[in-house]
Amino acid sequence: MYTPTKRDVKFWFDRINAEVFDHCLNPFSKIIIEHHDTEWGAMDPKDNGILYLSTDFPDKDEFINVLAHEMVHQWQWQYADICDHGTSFQAWEGAMMAKNYLINYWF
């Protein structure tokens, strides 16, 4: 079991933002890490994006992939005013996979 810290989130956000998004994402305005029974992550677009993450990831890699997934949603809200798993989400899959991040839509 892996429980991320806000420091982990900020470190991986900065790394993924640099590697995949060319530093174009604004940081999440708030990071909330708490137990969730039904999901590992969610992004609420209020106030420039509130990030919700679970305390119960199977491992660190799963946390990183979920964060990358939520960062695609952050990009969608910043640049396309949507938040779904359609074509604008799927368009990031290749760039993410090139850096070994998996953003499967079923997280």
Side-chain angles (χ1 to χ4, degrees):
M1 206 51 86
Y2 179 78
T3 301
T5 65
K6 289 183 179 181
R7 184 176 177 173
D8 295 331
V9 174
K10 290 176 183 177
F11 172 85
W12 285 102
F13 178 94
D14 289 344
R15 182 170 173 172
I16 297 167
N17 196 17
E19 290 179 344
V20 179
F21 296 98
D22 196 29
H23 300 283
C24 77
L25 288 184
N26 296 328
F28 293 104
S29 62
K30 190 173 188 181
I31 300 166
I32 299 171
I33 301 170
E34 59 190 11
H35 176 75
H36 292 277
D37 289 327
T38 59
E39 59 191 7
W40 289 334
M43 194 281 293
D44 185 339
K46 295 178 188 168
D47 300 320
N48 195 38
I50 299 171
L51 177 66
Y52 295 90
L53 291 172
S54 176
T55 56
D56 306 315
F57 287 93
D59 54 45
K60 186 176 183 177
D61 288 341
E62 206 69 54
F63 149 69
I64 295 166
N65 289 330
V66 169
L67 176 61
H69 175 111
E70 298 307 328
M71 290 173 70
V72 173
H73 288 311
Q74 179 79 335
W75 181 91
Q76 287 179 306
W77 274 108
Q78 277 185 232
Y79 297 99
D81 200 30
I82 59 170
C83 187
D84 64 17
H85 297 114
T87 56
S88 72
F89 182 91
Q90 294 169 15
W92 286 99
E93 192 168 18
M96 288 290 191
M97 287 181 71
K99 298 295 183 179
N100 295 314
Y101 304 120
L102 303 175
I103 59 165
N104 300 323
Y105 66 86
W106 55 81
F107 287 128

